[in-house]
Amino acid sequence: MNILVTGGAGFIGSHYVRTMLEGGFAQFEDAHVTVLDDLTYAGNRDNLPAAHPRLAFVRGSILDRQLLADVVRGQDAVVHFAAESHVDRSIRGGGVFVRTNVEGTQALLEACLAAGVGRVVHISTDEVYGSIEQGVWSEESPLLPNSPYAASKAASDLVALAYVRTHGLNLSVTRCSNNYGPYQHPEKFIPLAVTNLLEGRPVPVYGDGGQVREWLHVDDHCRAVQRVLTGGRAGEVYNIGAGTAVANLTLAHRIAELCGAGADMVRHVTDRKGHDRRYALDQAKIERELGHRPLTGFEAGLAQTVAWYRDNPRWWKPLTDGGVRA
Ligand code: NAD
């Protein structure tokens, strides 16, 4: 089995690849993994083993159609994580989001079609649904994205599904809630809060901090992706929820406690433009069809994650120095 993982040097993709190489996915213990990653600011080669007999690393962009043709040839399956992924960056400049997330996805799909790849999973996000005051989004809910990031992901979902209907590509789409865990870039909320506190800086909370998000441990996301890869139906969308809804302000205070900091270290800042108020997913479909359930409780997972950042400053310090932090 040959499997191509795009964006495999990023936060979620690298967790997926490490798990596969460690034999964490049944039937894939012998799989050969090729990672295609452009190593943008978000990608880090050190997130993956330096050398492994079943890993090949290719540095390059999903926008490079010639390279895609070469890399996709001979692959049995493709899991597509590569994307520009940070909402704040998309507010400052949306162009690269449309290029990578929409055009890059289309280029990858075209390459998969040309090479006759047997199975594709397109990784998307719950943010494509927009904001929901009450209730939950099912896979049938309309796409009403608000940020340029979410809009680019929604567009790429539709292009991906069009390749199923038009060309018969065997592809499924996953839409997951917010992830957390080790190796997440410190521009994202949880690692931003933790690393700020570990460096004695306050935690910025947008607006009143009442925005509600569901948090899923990255390992649960990756296990769900694997279930979709092996058992998901072509042309279907699968929500991957966490069932753990927390307001940002509550979360910031909990992280401060875990870091041994006082409540005064949580500071309100001007709200993000177009900030979605609440996300909530109905995850019944993936549970019913594929038997997926999250395993990591939020309290335990959060404590482990804080401990990982405390123990691994060498990984994150270069990303917070020199003004890289968003
Ligand atoms: P990330 O930003 O940590 O990683 C993205 C990776 O893609 C990086 O390694 C980067 O170098 C690579 N990349 C960017 N542009 C590329 C290009 N043109 N060609 C090849 N590689 C390129 O993101 P993440 O948090 O790991 O997210 C992975 C996927 O999961 C994304 O598609 C994202 O939309 C989706 N997702 C993320 C979350 C979350 O909470 N982080 C939740 C739901 C869905």
Side-chain angles (χ1 to χ4, degrees):
M1 162 74 76
N2 293 319
I3 179 160
L4 174 68
V5 180
T6 71
F11 163 48
I12 304 171
S14 71
H15 189 94
Y16 179 81
V17 172
R18 289 193 306 275
T19 306
M20 183 163 289
L21 294 176
E22 287 158 10
F25 297 135
Q27 317 291 323
F28 282 69
E29 293 87 350
D30 298 327
H32 284 259
V33 181
T34 300
V35 167
L36 174 64
D37 197 298
D38 208 18
L39 297 183
T40 67
Y41 80 94
N44 186 343
R45 180 63 184 84
D46 294 340
N47 292 353
L48 297 167
H52 191 286
R54 292 189 289 108
L55 173 67
F57 183 84
V58 179
R59 181 171 189 180
S61 174
I62 53 169
L63 287 157
D64 182 340
R65 289 172 189 259
Q66 184 54 55
L67 176 67
L68 280 176
D70 293 341
V71 172
V72 169
R73 194 177 305 120
Q75 301 294 341
D76 301 301
V78 172
V79 183
H80 176 37
F81 291 98
E84 287 293 332
S85 68
H86 191 42
V87 174
D88 287 337
R89 286 180 188 259
S90 81
I91 293 168
R92 292 200 295 269
V96 69
F97 284 74
V98 172
R99 284 191 292 281
T100 298
N101 299 356
V102 186
E103 194 185 333
T105 297
Q106 188 273 333
L108 178 68
L109 296 166
E110 201 64 43
C112 290
L113 205 60
V117 172
R119 181 80 182 121
V120 182
V121 178
H122 171 69
I123 308 299
S124 188
T125 166
D126 62 357
E127 301 197 24
V128 297
Y129 296 118
S131 192
I132 188 168
E133 283 295 317
Q134 17 183 323
V136 288
W137 293 301
S138 81
E139 289 82 352
E140 311 304 322
S141 299
L143 302 188
L144 296 168
N146 290 314
S147 72
Y149 162 66
S152 69
K153 293 296 292 187
S156 66
D157 284 20
L158 296 179
V159 174
L161 292 167
Y163 270 71
V164 181
R165 293 186 201 114
T166 305
H167 298 295
L169 197 64
N170 181 1
L171 173 146
S172 305
V173 173
T174 62
R175 294 189 183 136
C176 189
S177 60
N178 281 28
N179 282 216
Y180 71 98
Y183 297 96
Q184 187 171 29
H185 194 286
E187 68 184 0
K188 302 282 169 48
F189 184 62
I190 288 181
L192 173 75
V194 176
T195 58
N196 267 13
L197 290 166
L198 292 177
E199 289 187 322
R201 291 199 300 265
V203 179
V205 171
Y206 281 131
D208 66 359
Q211 308 84 5
V212 173
R213 301 290 183 263
E214 279 187 55
W215 291 95
L216 184 71
H217 194 276
V218 62
D219 192 59
D220 282 320
H221 184 187
C222 291
R223 287 188 316 97
V225 166
Q226 189 62 11
R227 293 237 185 202
V228 172
L229 177 73
T230 55
R233 290 181 290 136
E236 292 293 320
V237 175
Y238 295 89
N239 286 346
I240 305 174
T244 317
V246 191
N248 284 351
L249 187 60
T250 309
L251 178 55
H253 281 293
R254 182 69 193 117
I255 294 170
E257 271 170 30
L258 287 168
C259 291
D264 60 316
M265 291 301 276
V266 176
R267 310 265 170 88
H268 292 272
V269 297
T270 309
D271 204 354
R272 171 191 270 170
K273 283 190 199 173
H275 206 170
D276 289 334
R277 194 67 185 168
R278 177 173 173 270
Y279 299 150
L281 282 178
D282 176 357
Q283 54 181 332
K285 179 175 175 181
I286 194 166
E287 223 177 293
R288 187 179 64 243
E289 278 193 23
L290 303 175
H292 172 76
R293 266 200 204 112
L295 295 178
T296 305
F298 187 58
E299 261 303 312
L302 187 62
Q304 282 165 17
T305 301
V306 170
W308 187 87
Y309 281 92
R310 187 180 282 123
D311 294 344
N312 290 281
R314 268 202 297 194
W315 184 86
W316 58 263
K317 286 262 184 194
L319 304 175
T320 59
D321 294 343
V324 176
R325 199 186 276 280

